[in-house]
Amino acid sequence: MMFSTRSRLEESRVGWNALPKALRFAIFAIIGFLLILMLTLLGVFNREPMMPAPPQLLTEPFLQLPTVNSVQVVWFTEFAGSQHAVTYGAGLKQTAIASTVKLSRTREDRESHVGAQAETGQYQNIKLRDIWRHEAKVTGLSAGVRVPYRVSSVREDGTTFSSGEYTLASLPESGTPLKILLTSDHQLKPMTAANLQKVVETVGRVDGVFFAGDLINIPDRASEWFDDNRGGAFFPCLQGRAKYEIAKTVYRGGAIAQYAPIFPAIGNHEVMGRYGSGDSLGEEFENSIPRAIAKKLYPEQTETQTEQWLKDRSFNTNTYEEIFTLPETSPGGKTYYAITFGDVRLVVLYVTNMWRSYNLTPDVRGKYQERQQDLDRPEKWGYGQVIFGEIAQGSPQYNWLEAELKSQEFQQAKYKIVMFHHPPHSLGDNIVPAYTDPVQIRDRATDGSLEAVRYEYPRAADYIIRDVVPLLETAGVQLVFYGHSHLWNRFISNNGTHFLETSNVGNTYGAAVGNKRRKVPPGNNKDYVALGNPNGLEPIVPTIAPLRGEDDKPQPYIASNDITVFSIFNTATGTISSYRFDTRFPGSDVVKFDEFAL
Ligand SMILES: [Fe+2]
């Protein structure tokens, strides 16, 4: 057999060699051409056909700032275009014309996951991304009546792009039963899309979203809001257009923001550092310094410059404020506000600080120290966990809060809820160190030279615990809602104020119980508590179906990168129900594991 096969091969070679050279070349050329054509059609050489088609609009519309007879409709495009409008009402016969503004800070960089970045590195340097925001006010609405709507925009080439059709409503009246989603810390985390998909599958359309901060990771990176190509960007997750796979299941998020207004709070991830100060957006994000330090670093210029000039040299929330339409009646503008939503008076505070590493190695610019290499360069310092939202007694925000808690709107509300990002009570990591201005300590050698710059955070000066919580408890706040540590846990104070953190969508920092101690500086366990809730209250064991630990005891928390949690406030009953879903088992049921009443 071997012999005869070889013989046939030799025969064929002889036959091929017998052909004229030109003919052999032509055959090669034709085969090569056909191969290239086939591969091109399959998309191997041209990646475009393999990529999903770009969306018509950059986002679907979402609802903002309802009043008794109106609501704002907002959407984004990557073209300036014209004739941006909402059509609404029966037969979509009414029109509200939008006003258009270009976002000023949305950019991409080499760490972006967008478009052809992975293949071509199109954003090696930080580059402004042109995005336009359209907003129309739909008026003449009646309380409790949902109205169909859609939005459309006309591109410069005359093509009209329209959204899907959804429904909107004005502000719900008191007495209206509402389902409100309590959520936070989405940050494109792995379980966000699954979490929001399960919200809609479990409770249907929600009426509002209270979002306790950390919407994205880097607020000026456009793709994190709109189209990160890993499939879990902010708007796609909240609009049912995500595409995020876990355990061989693709989750689409939930169509939530099209129907329900979002009321966000500022988390540390909504705050950018010094504008234009880094080679990447991540570096710029890290480069926040206190405003008082910025004034010292640029003393001659400070006097003549605007407030924005100072923000650009310290920290800013420009992109967050450009994306959301929020009440602007407080001294802090959009950064803190209050609104009545049905039976709920929601007070949203700006209580968040810079997150820095607890690492104590000399090359780390962290919570507790400056880098050794930067000791003689104060412009390179991080100044510890810089407080972004001033809330200490006597600050403008504190004074405003005090007045708000005395207002008729607040006093008469059936449900009094206060939301902010930083935890007052938590088993999580990020409650340590205390929420207070870092106290700088300069260690000097005997010759006077600087040996270290360190920071301390006295727990007795925690502004949240010392100043804010007593004010809230005295005013009869029923729920304080927050995030930041990526877990679920809740507490109740002696006078009945509930404290809830329900931020478990991935990248949990765990719960500091048992052997899982927080990483804290050695030797000072008065200010840096390694285990439990540093502020005293004991965590509540879930009332319905707690998870059990290895010791088979029910756990008073969920801190998991597999099991995600969401909470729903039902104003008809005054109950807050928390649900969990195990993403390792896509076919498993969503389990209601805790419920309590305000
Ligand atoms: Fe956070």
Side-chain angles (χ1 to χ4, degrees):
M1 280 300 282
M2 288 287 284
F3 178 76
S4 71
T5 305
R6 193 177 298 148
S7 147
R8 274 203 298 277
L9 276 171
E10 281 163 2
E11 275 171 26
S12 66
R13 275 189 204 133
V14 169
W16 170 254
N17 289 335
L19 291 172
K21 208 171 180 182
L23 185 58
R24 278 186 277 159
F25 180 78
I27 292 170
F28 264 130
I30 290 166
I31 291 170
F33 173 76
L34 289 173
L35 199 62
I36 290 168
L37 184 68
M38 193 175 74
L39 290 172
T40 304
L41 288 173
L42 284 171
V44 170
F45 287 164
N46 177 2
R47 288 180 183 273
E48 285 302 314
M50 299 292 281
M51 296 175 69
Q56 296 182 336
L57 304 168
L58 191 54
T59 62
E60 290 296 278
F62 68 105
L63 303 181
Q64 290 277 270
L65 199 57
T67 70
V68 287
N69 60 7
S70 73
V71 69
Q72 305 292 131
V73 179
V74 181
W75 69 104
F76 298 88
T77 60
E78 284 196 275
F79 51 85
S82 61
Q83 300 171 60
H84 307 285
V86 182
T87 49
Y88 65 99
L92 302 178
K93 291 205 174 101
Q94 289 168 277
T95 301
I97 302 296
S99 55
T100 294
V101 177
K102 192 177 174 191
L103 298 181
S104 69
R105 295 275 165 100
T106 39
R107 291 165 287 163
E108 302 291 356
D109 70 345
R110 59 175 177 263
E111 285 154 18
S112 294
H113 295 264
V114 66
Q117 168 73 351
E119 295 86 355
T120 64
Q122 73 184 107
Y123 296 115
Q124 273 312 298
N125 299 314
I126 298 175
K127 193 174 170 196
L128 192 70
R129 189 162 160 204
D130 297 330
I131 292 167
W132 285 265
R133 179 188 194 267
H134 316 288
E135 176 171 24
K137 184 175 191 173
V138 173
T139 57
L141 302 172
S142 305
V145 180
R146 294 201 73 86
V147 168
Y149 81 102
R150 75 177 347 147
V151 304
S152 57
S153 291
V154 180
R155 199 167 60 187
E156 284 74 0
D157 64 2
T159 312
T160 301
F161 296 104
S162 296
S163 70
E165 188 178 317
Y166 311 105
T167 61
L168 53 74
S170 58
L171 201 60
E173 286 181 315
S174 62
T176 310
L178 303 171
K179 284 177 287 186
I180 298 168
L181 172 64
L182 308 178
T183 189
S184 71
D185 297 83
H186 288 189
Q187 297 176 247
L188 295 88
K189 295 301 176 203
M191 297 192 293
T192 306
N195 183 294
L196 297 170
Q197 183 170 320
K198 292 298 163 185
V199 167
V200 175
E201 287 175 9
T202 307
V203 302
R205 180 178 58 71
V206 299
D207 298 288
V209 180
F210 294 175
F211 200 128
D214 281 5
L215 293 73
I216 34 58
N217 293 300
I218 309 285
D220 283 8
R221 186 177 288 135
S223 47
E224 294 203 18
W225 295 98
F226 303 114
D227 55 359
D228 186 290
N229 58 22
R230 291 166 294 179
F234 178 78
F235 282 108
C237 279
L238 275 163
Q239 298 197 313
R241 293 156 59 96
K243 195 177 176 192
Y244 203 99
E245 187 176 320
I246 311 177
K248 296 185 179 157
T249 304
V250 175
Y251 293 97
R252 304 303 307 257
I256 293 171
Q258 295 96 319
Y259 300 96
I262 301 176
F263 301 101
I266 296 175
N268 52 308
H269 283 280
E270 277 67 68
V271 186
M272 284 298 286
R274 283 174 277 180
Y275 184 56
S277 66
D279 289 337
S280 71
L281 293 171
E283 205 177 313
E284 194 174 312
F285 173 78
E286 295 278 331
N287 280 340
S288 55
I289 57 171
R291 299 247 155 90
I293 297 294
K295 284 181 187 171
K296 279 186 193 162
L297 287 175
Y298 312 100
E300 330 71 41
Q301 299 171 59
T302 307
E303 292 303 312
T304 55
Q305 298 297 341
T306 61
E307 194 182 343
Q308 187 59 49
W309 184 93
L310 185 58
K311 287 179 180 176
D312 288 348
R313 279 149 191 83
S314 51
F315 56 88
N316 74 84
T317 50
N318 280 38
T319 294
Y320 170 87
E321 293 185 54
E322 287 180 14
I323 285 179
F324 293 102
T325 301
L326 301 167
E328 295 184 64
T329 51
S330 80
K334 291 181 179 180
T335 62
Y336 52 90
Y337 59 92
I339 188 164
T340 300
F341 189 67
D343 283 329
V344 184
R345 184 65 174 173
L346 174 70
V347 182
V348 179
L349 300 179
Y350 182 16
V351 179
T352 191
N353 58 2
M354 183 68 203
W355 184 94
R356 295 200 186 281
S357 170
Y358 44 74
N359 201 323
L360 297 173
T361 52
D363 60 339
V364 170
R365 183 173 67 170
K367 292 182 204 297
Y368 301 110
Q369 63 176 36
E370 299 297 353
R371 285 189 293 214
Q372 279 292 313
Q373 71 233 51
D374 294 338
L375 288 183
D376 57 351
R377 303 176 68 188
E379 74 279 7
K380 293 274 186 189
W381 294 358
Y383 296 88
Q385 297 216 137
V386 178
I387 293 250
F388 297 137
E390 284 180 44
I391 191 70
Q393 189 165 14
S395 66
Q397 185 175 198
Y398 181 92
N399 293 342
W400 171 84
L401 173 63
E402 219 175 14
E404 161 61 25
L405 299 179
K406 286 179 186 154
S407 72
Q408 238 186 16
E409 287 263 52
F410 179 86
Q411 299 269 335
Q412 291 177 352
K414 185 172 179 187
Y415 301 116
K416 302 170 175 71
I417 298 180
V418 175
M419 171 172 82
F420 49 85
H421 186 60
H422 200 92
H425 293 286
S426 179
L427 297 174
D429 241 23
N430 286 335
I431 196 166
V432 174
Y435 190 83
T436 189
D437 287 296
V439 178
Q440 192 182 73
I441 292 157
R442 299 184 185 202
D443 293 337
R444 293 189 182 276
T446 44
D447 65 357
S449 62
L450 201 53
E451 281 190 323
V453 174
R454 298 184 291 111
Y455 296 97
E456 291 188 353
Y457 302 81
R459 201 149 63 86
D462 187 316
Y463 304 143
I464 302 174
I465 293 300
R466 188 191 70 185
D467 300 343
V468 179
V469 167
L471 199 61
L472 303 183
E473 291 187 357
T474 306
V477 170
Q478 292 136 306
L479 175 69
V480 182
F481 168 50
Y482 46 95
H484 198 36
S485 286
H486 303 195
L487 81 167
W488 180 96
N489 56 187
R490 72 176 176 93
F491 305 81
I492 183 164
S493 69
N494 291 337
N495 73 341
T497 303
H498 294 273
F499 294 84
L500 174 68
E501 179 168 7
T502 177
S503 55
N504 203 118
V505 292
N507 194 34
T508 182
Y509 306 124
V513 294
N515 298 324
K516 168 83 178 69
R517 297 167 64 85
R518 293 186 187 92
K519 289 175 183 158
V520 294
N524 178 354
N525 40 30
K526 175 174 63 75
D527 286 322
Y528 313 112
V529 177
L531 282 173
N533 171 23
N535 296 324
L537 300 181
E538 288 298 320
I540 309 268
V541 174
T543 52
I544 302 172
L547 293 178
R548 288 177 182 273
E550 284 171 8
D551 56 3
D552 204 37
K553 285 188 182 155
Q555 292 176 322
Y557 64 89
I558 294 181
S560 169
N561 288 324
D562 297 313
I563 300 171
T564 191
V565 172
F566 60 89
S567 299
I568 302 288
F569 177 35
N570 182 345
T571 68
T573 54
T575 51
I576 292 175
S577 310
S578 292
Y579 301 81
R580 57 178 158 87
F581 170 65
D582 194 333
T583 61
R584 290 170 298 187
F585 308 104
S588 65
D589 289 336
V590 170
V591 177
K592 190 201 281 191
F593 69 93
D594 182 66
E595 195 162 81
F596 64 96
L598 297 187

